[in-house]
Amino acid sequence: IPYIEQPVIPLGPVALHTFGLLVGLAILLGARVVNRRVERFGLGVALGDRLVLWLLVGGFVGAHLVHQFVYFPADTLAHPWSILRFWDGLSSFGGFAGALAAALIFLKRNGLWAERWRYLDVVAYALPFGWTIGRLGCFIAFDHPGDPTTFWLGEADGDGIVRHNLGL
């Protein structure tokens, strides 16, 4: 697979990367799937919207904190303010953990604990739709380069070395 430089769209003082665009699309798709399932099962669309907000906030917080403390603990301890730079690194597994924790807190606080499995089922159903699109962003950004390979699905990185693209 040839290496393609990630397109960047300048928007004044900031820039929109393909990764960010795909993550945004993933959020929209995931929220749409949650809303349709919540409506289908009579769980309340307004409640579904609030749940999605909690999932997103918890997911992004968890994704960033795992990135900082699990992947780069020494850098994080040396530069503690980096914890506040949420745009500077995410972890999918941290996002899953943070979203799950946020969902459980949301359900408990809103008196929905007895119906938690119905809501979590809605979220679990929507997850692969959103994650697939978001993971395409990882693939295009090639931000998970693996070991050098001769495998036909290997991708040449920016230095011309053919590697497994773990985002794929």
Side-chain angles (χ1 to χ4, degrees):
I1 300 173
Y3 176 76
I4 300 170
E5 190 70 34
Q6 183 180 180
V8 177
I9 302 166
L11 299 171
V14 297
L16 178 63
H17 295 259
T18 306
F19 173 79
L21 179 64
L22 287 169
V23 168
L25 288 173
I27 289 169
L28 292 174
L29 177 62
R32 176 78 173 142
V33 172
V34 165
N35 282 332
R36 290 187 69 172
R37 300 286 288 184
V38 163
E39 185 176 19
R40 179 177 178 192
F41 295 119
L43 299 174
V45 175
L47 204 56
D49 286 339
R50 288 183 27 229
L51 175 59
V52 166
L53 180 62
W54 276 70
L55 291 168
L56 289 172
V57 171
F60 277 109
V61 168
H64 182 64
L65 292 179
V66 166
H67 176 269
Q68 291 299 118
F69 287 106
V70 174
Y71 299 158
F72 303 102
D75 291 343
T76 302
L77 294 175
H79 305 97
W81 287 107
S82 66
I83 296 168
L84 300 177
R85 290 195 312 258
F86 282 93
W87 60 89
D88 198 19
L90 301 170
S91 159
S92 295
F93 294 110
F96 297 151
L100 178 60
L104 295 175
I105 293 167
F106 173 84
L107 295 169
K108 188 77 168 167
R109 287 184 61 179
N110 287 280
L112 300 167
W113 193 251
E115 294 186 90
R116 67 186 173 274
W117 295 115
R118 292 179 70 200
Y119 285 94
L120 293 175
D121 182 64
V122 165
V123 172
Y125 182 87
L127 174 68
F129 292 95
W131 193 43
T132 299
I133 303 298
R135 199 63 179 176
L136 281 174
C138 293
F139 167 64
I140 290 186
F142 202 174
D143 60 354
H144 301 293
D147 290 333
T149 185
T150 57
F151 184 58
W152 67 275
L153 278 177
E155 182 176 350
D157 65 12
D159 297 329
I161 299 170
V162 177
R163 299 180 176 278
H164 290 290
N165 185 335
L166 302 179
L168 177 62

